[in-house]
Each structure stands twice: as C-alpha cells, then as structure tokens.
C-alpha cells in the first residue's frame, strides 16, 4: 500500500463508518419508492396568462434535477364548468389539452374538482351533464378509482357532490363510493403504504384562514371547503395504519396536518389567487414534489415556479 492509497483509504473511512453506525442504530435504511409532482387548481381558460404560466410550471417540474416520474392533478383543471354553457367548457378543455400536448411529457393521474363538473342548468338532459364530461376529458376509468405503483397503493376520490338543485355542492363521499372505499381498503395488503387524493381536503387547518373577512360565525365550517364526512373518514382510516398520507388542493393554501399517523397535505395551487395575483393569502402559486418511501414515510417540497 503506497502513500497515495493509504490517503485515499483514510479519506473514505469516516463516511463508511458513519454509514455503518447509522445502519446499526436506525435499522434498515429507507429507500425512496417514487417521486411525483402534485399539481392542482390549474383553472385553465383560453387566456394567455394561465396558458403561459401553466406551461412554465410544467417545464419547471420537468427541468428538476431530481425529476418526478409522473404528475398527480388534484382537480379544478379548468376555470369553471359549473355555471358555463357547452362552448365555454369545451374551450377550456381544448386549451388544457393544447398546453399538455406541447409542454408536458409526463403521465398525469387526474382527480375531479368542483369546477370540473358540468352543472350548467340547461344541460341536465344532456349525456355529458355532471362528471361524465370531466371523466372523458381526463381519460380516467371512473370518477373515483385506485391503482398500485412503485410499491404504494393510490386511492383517488371524488369529493364533489352537487346539491340536488344543481346550485352548489357539498364535499363528502356518496354511499356508493364509501362502500367501494371500504372494500378497496379491506383488500389492500396491510403492509402496502396507501396514499389518498381528494380535491377537497379531508382534514385541513386552512378552513380557518380561507376567508378574507373574519367569519360571521367562527363555529361554522362550510360544507364546500372541507369534507363534511371527515369524522367518519378519519375513523375509517384509523383502522388502516398503512394509510400514510392524504393529499388535496381546493383552498389554494398550503398546510400540513398530522393526525393519527396520517399526513394531510394541502398543496397550494398552480393558479395562486385564481390567476388574479400569484399569491393567495400567504401561499404563492406553486406545485409540490412528493417523495414516497418504502417505510411509508412521505416528504413534500412546495415549489414556486415563477
Ligand atoms: Zn380551485
């Protein structure tokens, strides 16, 4: 062993030792299962600002040195379909596809938001009324679904239940969907970590800061802002310790609530303040990089793209 070899070996030693002691104390080191990007509340419309900014956001994601391998869209893809006529809604979907085609190469997993639901009063008799049009445009198999990827189980929920008069909506899981969710959880391997995605948060602190004016009645949380069946869902989730995280958007605000071992992450909005300004309250327009690990841990990095 010459001097140079000794020096080389010596310089490697502290690292090797540190690695070994870490292993000895922390057991098996966790391994990242996957990195994806959460984008949500893009609220696209046929105007230059949203189109350019969404394109910029998509490039920002794809230019990351540690690049995510797919996108999860948390809903409100388009500006609004709830009170718009067919032409207006069609134009919004058209520009979405245009931007995605020219500026995105990553696969997208979509979730339905309240503004994606076609609720135009006069369209009730049309076959695309309600969520059908969104399901078709998003190329998803159903309004709610689950799939396995990179050792994790992903559950995408449909939070938005329009009121019977079509005027507005309440956030909860309808009986059919809740029944499906229970079955889906029961048949998932208890060792497989689970991620839940819903447009409207299941649990969030942002309901207390969403209003610009002080609430008239601070004891009331409106049924459009957070799931009204939170207590029931939290009880259900408690039976499945492998549910590790629940992502959402909707309030355009950024928060993290850790409750019963589940990280409830509300992930801002690509559109910031619905494109009026790039900040809504204190949350800047952005997207989130989500790292999922094989031990069920989750890390989120919120990124401003402009
Ligand atoms: Zn939104």
């Amino acid at each position: 062993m010459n001097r140079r070899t000794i020096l080389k070996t010596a310089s490697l030693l502290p690292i090797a030792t540190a690695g070994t002691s870490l292993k000895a104390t922390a057991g098996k080191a966790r391994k990242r299962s996957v990195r994806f990007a959460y984008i949500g509340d893009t609220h696209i419309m046929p105007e230059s600002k949203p189109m350019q900014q969404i394109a910029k956001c998509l490039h920002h994601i794809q230019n990351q040195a540690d690049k995510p391998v797919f996108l999860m869209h948390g809903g409100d893809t388009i500006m609004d379909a709830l009170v718009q006529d067919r032409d207006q809604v069609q134009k919004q979907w058209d520009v979405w596809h245009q931007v995605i085609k020219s500026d995105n190469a990553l696969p997208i997993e979509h979730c339905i938001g309240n503004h994606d639901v076609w609720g135009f009063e006069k369209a009730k008799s049309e076959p695309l009324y309600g969520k059908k049009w969104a399901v078709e445009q998003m190329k998803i198999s159903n309004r709610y679904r689950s799939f396995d990827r990179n050792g994790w189980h992903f559950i995408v929920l449909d939070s938005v239940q329009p009121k019977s008069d079509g005027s507005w909506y309440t956030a909860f899981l309808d009986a059919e969907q809740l029944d499906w969710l229970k079955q889906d959880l029961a048949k998932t391997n208890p060792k497989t970590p689970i991620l839940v995605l819903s447009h409207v948060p299941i649990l969030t602190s942002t309901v207390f800061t969403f209003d610009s004016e002080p609430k008239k009645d601070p004891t009331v949380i409106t049924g459009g802002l957070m799931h009204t069946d939170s207590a029931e869902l939290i009880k259900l989730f408690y039976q499945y310790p492998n549910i590790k995280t629940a992502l959402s958007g909707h309030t355009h605000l950024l928060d993290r609530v850790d409750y019963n071992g589940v990280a409830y992450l509300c992930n801002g909005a690509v559109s910031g303040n619905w494109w009026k300004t790039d900040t809504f309250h204190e949350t800047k327009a952005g997207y989130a990089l989500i790292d999922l690990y094989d031990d069920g841990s989750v890390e989120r990095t919120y990124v401003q793209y402009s």
Side-chain angles (χ1 to χ4, degrees), residues 103-124:
D103 298 283
N104 176 58
L106 296 173
I108 308 181
E109 293 290 349
H110 276 279
C111 173
I112 298 178
N114 49 303
H115 288 285
D116 302 318
V117 181
W118 193 31
F120 191 53
E121 185 60 24
K122 291 175 193 157
K124 277 184 180 162

Side-chain angles (χ1 to χ4, degrees), residues 214-221:
K215 280 177 181 293
K216 280 193 201 104
D217 182 354
T219 62
V220 173
I221 295 168

Side-chain angles (χ1 to χ4, degrees), residues 5-304:
T5 323
I6 292 165
L7 283 174
K8 248 189 180 170
T9 315
S11 70
L12 284 173
L13 268 176
I15 300 165
T17 312
T20 315
S21 67
L22 194 76
K23 249 189 180 170
T25 51
K28 193 174 144 266
R30 68 174 185 175
K31 229 181 99 206
R32 189 167 76 182
S33 308
V34 69
R35 159 170 278 202
F36 68 88
Y38 170 100
I39 60 169
D41 295 275
T42 44
H43 289 284
I44 202 165
M45 51 186 156
E47 284 176 19
S48 59
K49 185 180 176 183
M51 289 174 72
Q52 283 167 8
Q53 290 298 98
I54 291 168
K56 193 174 174 182
C57 176
L58 292 166
H59 286 283
H60 204 277
I61 293 168
Q62 292 165 101
N63 288 332
Q64 285 284 343
D66 185 359
K67 198 174 149 180
V69 293
F70 66 96
L71 306 177
M72 288 202 94
H73 196 307
D76 283 1
T77 298
I78 58 174
M79 191 56 174
D80 182 62
L82 211 55
V83 294
Q84 304 297 326
D85 69 17
R86 178 183 282 276
D87 276 5
Q88 293 305 314
V89 176
Q90 187 65 60
K91 277 179 191 153
Q92 296 174 65
W93 285 119
D94 287 349
V95 287
W96 172 256
H97 295 307
Q98 188 187 320
V99 171
I100 288 304
K101 200 176 166 196
S102 61
D103 298 283
N104 176 58
L106 296 173
I108 308 181
E109 293 290 349
H110 276 279
C111 173
I112 298 178
N114 49 303
H115 288 285
D116 302 318
V117 181
W118 193 31
F120 191 53
E121 185 60 24
K122 291 175 193 157
K124 277 184 180 162
S125 57
E126 298 211 30
L128 290 174
Y129 177 72
K131 292 162 189 165
K132 288 195 200 83
W133 200 353
V135 166
E136 197 182 284
Q137 294 294 318
M138 293 172 176
K139 299 179 184 75
I140 51 179
S141 55
N142 192 22
R143 62 190 175 93
Y144 55 83
R145 69 199 188 282
S146 68
F147 54 89
D148 294 301
R149 192 171 288 176
N150 300 83
W152 279 64
H153 187 62
F154 292 78
I155 297 176
V156 183
L157 298 174
D158 170 20
S159 304
V160 182
Q161 314 309 332
K163 289 182 176 171
S164 55
D165 62 358
S167 62
W168 202 230
Y169 63 93
T170 311
F172 65 96
L173 302 186
D174 51 285
E176 175 202 296
Q177 186 177 185
L178 182 61
D179 197 45
W180 168 85
L181 175 63
K182 285 176 179 171
Q183 287 178 42
D184 192 77
L185 289 171
K187 70 181 186 201
T188 301
N189 185 331
K191 287 189 176 134
T192 304
I194 298 175
L195 173 149
V196 176
L197 171 65
S198 60
H199 175 64
V200 179
I202 292 169
L203 187 63
T204 179
S205 65
T206 66
V207 288
F208 301 108
T209 56
F210 183 82
D211 295 321
S212 300
E213 301 294 321
K215 280 177 181 293
K216 280 193 201 104
D217 182 354
T219 62
V220 173
I221 295 168
T222 52
L225 214 47
M226 189 172 92
H227 266 251
T228 55
D229 53 356
S230 296
E232 191 181 358
L233 292 178
I234 286 165
K235 276 209 180 78
L236 175 64
F237 289 2
Y238 192 64
Q239 295 172 40
Y240 297 92
N242 53 327
I243 300 178
K244 300 298 183 184
T245 189
L247 310 185
S248 67
H250 188 54
T251 63
H252 294 211
L253 296 172
L254 183 68
D255 86 338
R256 174 179 177 132
V257 176
D258 286 289
Y259 194 67
N260 292 344
V262 181
Y264 294 87
L265 304 173
C266 196
N267 298 292
V270 173
S271 65
N273 185 14
W274 290 260
W275 298 117
K276 287 181 280 228
T277 54
D278 70 356
T279 306
F280 181 54
H281 297 328
E282 298 81 17
T283 300
K284 300 255 187 246
Y287 65 90
L289 291 170
I290 308 282
D291 293 316
L292 304 179
Y293 292 86
D294 62 353
D295 64 353
S297 55
V298 183
E299 273 165 32
R300 181 211 27 212
T301 313
Y302 192 67
V303 185
Q304 293 166 36

